[in-house]
Coordinates of all heavy atoms in Angstrom, one line a residue:
G244 N 200.7 54.3 282.3 CA 200.0 53.1 282.0 C 198.6 53.1 282.7 O 198.3 54.0 283.5
L245 N 197.7 52.3 282.2 CA 196.3 52.4 282.7 C 196.2 52.3 284.2 O 195.5 53.2 284.8 CB 195.5 51.2 282.0 CG 194.0 51.2 282.6 CD1 193.2 52.3 282.1 CD2 193.4 50.0 282.0
R246 N 196.9 51.3 284.9 CA 196.6 51.2 286.3 C 197.3 52.4 287.1 O 196.7 52.8 288.1 CB 197.2 49.9 286.7 CG 196.3 48.7 286.3 CD 196.7 47.4 287.0 NE 196.3 47.5 288.4 CZ 196.2 46.4 289.2 NH1 196.5 45.2 288.7 NH2 196.0 46.5 290.5
S247 N 198.4 52.9 286.6 CA 199.0 54.0 287.3 C 198.1 55.2 287.1 O 198.0 56.0 288.1 CB 200.4 54.2 286.7 OG 201.4 53.2 287.1
A248 N 197.6 55.4 285.9 CA 196.7 56.6 285.7 C 195.4 56.4 286.5 O 195.0 57.5 287.0 CB 196.3 56.6 284.2
W249 N 194.9 55.2 286.7 CA 193.7 55.0 287.5 C 194.2 55.5 289.0 O 193.3 56.2 289.7 CB 193.4 53.5 287.4 CG 192.2 53.1 288.2 CD1 191.2 53.9 288.7 CD2 191.8 51.8 288.6 NE1 190.2 53.2 289.3 CE2 190.6 51.8 289.3 CE3 192.4 50.5 288.3 CZ2 189.9 50.7 289.7 CZ3 191.7 49.4 288.8 CH2 190.5 49.5 289.5
A250 N 195.3 55.0 289.5 CA 195.6 55.4 290.9 C 195.8 56.8 291.0 O 195.3 57.5 292.0 CB 196.9 54.7 291.3
V251 N 196.4 57.5 290.1 CA 196.6 58.9 290.1 C 195.4 59.8 290.1 O 195.1 60.7 290.9 CB 197.6 59.4 289.0 CG1 197.6 60.9 288.8 CG2 199.0 58.9 289.2
L252 N 194.4 59.3 289.2 CA 193.2 60.0 289.0 C 192.3 59.8 290.2 O 191.5 60.7 290.7 CB 192.6 59.6 287.8 CG 193.3 60.1 286.5 CD1 192.7 59.4 285.3 CD2 193.1 61.6 286.3
A253 N 192.4 58.7 290.8 CA 191.7 58.4 292.1 C 192.1 59.3 293.2 O 191.4 59.9 294.0 CB 191.7 57.0 292.5
A254 N 193.4 59.4 293.3 CA 194.1 60.2 294.4 C 193.7 61.6 294.2 O 193.4 62.4 295.1 CB 195.6 60.0 294.4
A255 N 193.7 62.1 292.8 CA 193.4 63.5 292.5 C 192.0 63.8 293.1 O 191.7 64.9 293.5 CB 193.6 63.7 291.0
G256 N 191.0 62.9 292.7 CA 189.6 63.1 293.1 C 189.4 63.1 294.6 O 188.8 64.0 295.2
I257 N 190.0 62.2 295.3 CA 189.9 62.1 296.7 C 190.5 63.2 297.5 O 189.8 63.8 298.3 CB 190.6 60.7 297.3 CG1 189.9 59.5 296.7 CG2 190.7 60.7 298.8 CD1 190.6 58.2 296.9
Y258 N 191.7 63.6 297.1 CA 192.3 64.8 297.7 C 191.5 66.1 297.3 O 191.5 67.0 298.1 CB 193.8 64.8 297.5 CG 194.6 64.5 298.7 CD1 194.8 63.2 299.1 CD2 195.0 65.5 299.5 CE1 195.5 62.8 300.2 CE2 195.7 65.2 300.7 CZ 195.9 63.9 301.0 OH 196.6 63.6 302.2
G259 N 191.2 66.1 296.0 CA 190.5 67.3 295.5 C 189.2 67.6 296.4 O 188.8 68.7 296.8
D260 N 188.5 66.4 296.8 CA 187.3 66.6 297.6 C 187.7 67.2 298.9 O 186.8 67.9 299.4 CB 186.7 65.2 297.8 CG 185.7 64.9 296.7 OD1 185.4 65.6 295.9 OD2 185.0 63.8 296.9
I261 N 188.8 67.0 299.5 CA 189.2 67.6 300.8 C 189.1 69.1 300.6 O 188.5 69.9 301.4 CB 190.5 67.1 301.2 CG1 190.5 65.6 301.7 CG2 191.1 67.9 302.4 CD1 191.7 65.0 302.0
G262 N 189.8 69.6 299.5 CA 189.9 71.0 299.2 C 188.5 71.6 299.1 O 188.2 72.7 299.5
R263 N 187.6 70.9 298.3 CA 186.3 71.4 297.9 C 185.4 71.4 299.2 O 184.6 72.3 299.5 CB 185.6 70.4 296.9 CG 186.2 70.6 295.6 CD 185.6 69.8 294.4 NE 186.2 68.4 294.4 CZ 187.2 68.1 293.7 NH1 187.9 68.9 293.1 NH2 187.5 66.7 293.8
K264 N 185.6 70.4 300.2 CA 184.8 70.4 301.4 C 185.3 71.5 302.3 O 184.4 72.2 302.9 CB 185.1 69.1 302.1 CG 184.3 67.9 301.5 CD 184.4 66.7 302.4 CE 183.7 65.5 301.9 NZ 183.8 64.3 302.7
V265 N 186.6 71.8 302.3 CA 187.0 73.0 303.2 C 186.5 74.3 302.6 O 186.0 75.1 303.5 CB 188.6 73.0 303.2 CG1 189.1 74.3 303.9 CG2 189.1 71.9 303.9
A266 N 186.5 74.4 301.3 CA 186.0 75.6 300.7 C 184.5 75.8 301.1 O 184.0 76.9 301.3 CB 186.3 75.6 299.3

Side-chain angles (χ1 to χ4, degrees):
L245 175 63
R246 293 195 63 168
S247 290
W249 183 16
V251 165
L252 290 166
I257 291 167
Y258 251 85
D260 266 2
I261 290 174
R263 288 182 279 273
K264 285 184 177 183
V265 170

